[in-house]
Amino acid sequence: MRIKVLSILSLIVLLVSCKKTQETPTDNIEEQQTQDITEQDIAKLKFIDYALDSKTDEAIKDWKEYFELQDVITNVKKADLVFFNDNEENVKLLAKKLKENIPNTLNSEPVLARMLVLETKIFKLESLSNLSTTSKEELLNTIKEFLVAFSNLNFQMNKKVEFDNRSIEKP
């Protein structure tokens, strides 16, 4: 009688332990798949993407950090987050140099405020893209926030250049 009970218990333990080992690999696969973002996923994000005006383009023609950031934006829109993968030093350096080398014509409080928001979103995207526990939806929302921050910076720079070029005649 004891042998039957022991054999039944060992069979149950064996079945339970086999089931656990089978669940673990599929959980890892699901986690890896949740972060796979495609260009189509990013294209589905809804936001207003402001381009630079020709006058603003002329004002920033020597601001190489902005053009580096623009390359990063282009890659992010292609779902290429390589710049953010274990690259904390370069991300910090880009954010620092972007603020330090801003052209004098654009150096104003509203533009600096948009740059601060953009810097925050850069760091947030960098940290979330390196976490294995980040969900696809969370990463897409962070990418959208980053792209919106960049678009708002462009919009604010356009407004600053437009305001500076306005000539109002006083009677």
Side-chain angles (χ1 to χ4, degrees), residues 42-122:
I42 294 176
K44 290 178 186 175
L45 297 176
K46 302 289 183 210
F47 67 98
I48 298 172
D49 193 8
Y50 293 103
L52 290 180
D53 186 59
S54 60
K55 293 176 185 175
T56 308
D57 237 353
E58 184 63 30
I60 67 163
K61 67 181 178 188
D62 296 328
W63 193 15
K64 72 175 189 166
E65 291 79 15
Y66 177 84
F67 294 107
E68 288 177 31
L69 179 63
Q70 210 169 25
D71 290 341
V72 170
I73 294 291
T74 303
N75 290 337
V76 168
K77 287 181 179 180
K78 293 178 183 174
D80 179 13
L81 299 176
V82 172
F83 178 76
F84 297 101
N85 293 344
D86 298 323
N87 198 10
E88 187 176 347
E89 290 299 318
N90 287 342
V91 172
K92 284 182 180 179
L93 185 64
L94 177 63
K96 179 182 172 188
K97 292 286 186 182
L98 194 65
K99 286 191 299 189
E100 285 178 356
N101 298 327
I102 186 170
N104 289 334
T105 57
L106 296 173
N107 199 353
S108 67
E109 290 300 318
V111 172
L112 291 174
R114 298 317 183 281
M115 288 182 66
L116 182 62
V117 171
L118 179 64
E119 179 183 10
T120 303
K121 299 306 176 185
I122 287 173

Side-chain angles (χ1 to χ4, degrees), residues 147-161:
L147 295 174
V148 166
F150 180 73
S151 181
N152 288 341
L153 174 64
N154 286 344
F155 179 68
Q156 193 62 46
M157 290 190 309
N158 285 341
K159 282 176 51 175
K160 170 75 170 119
V161 170

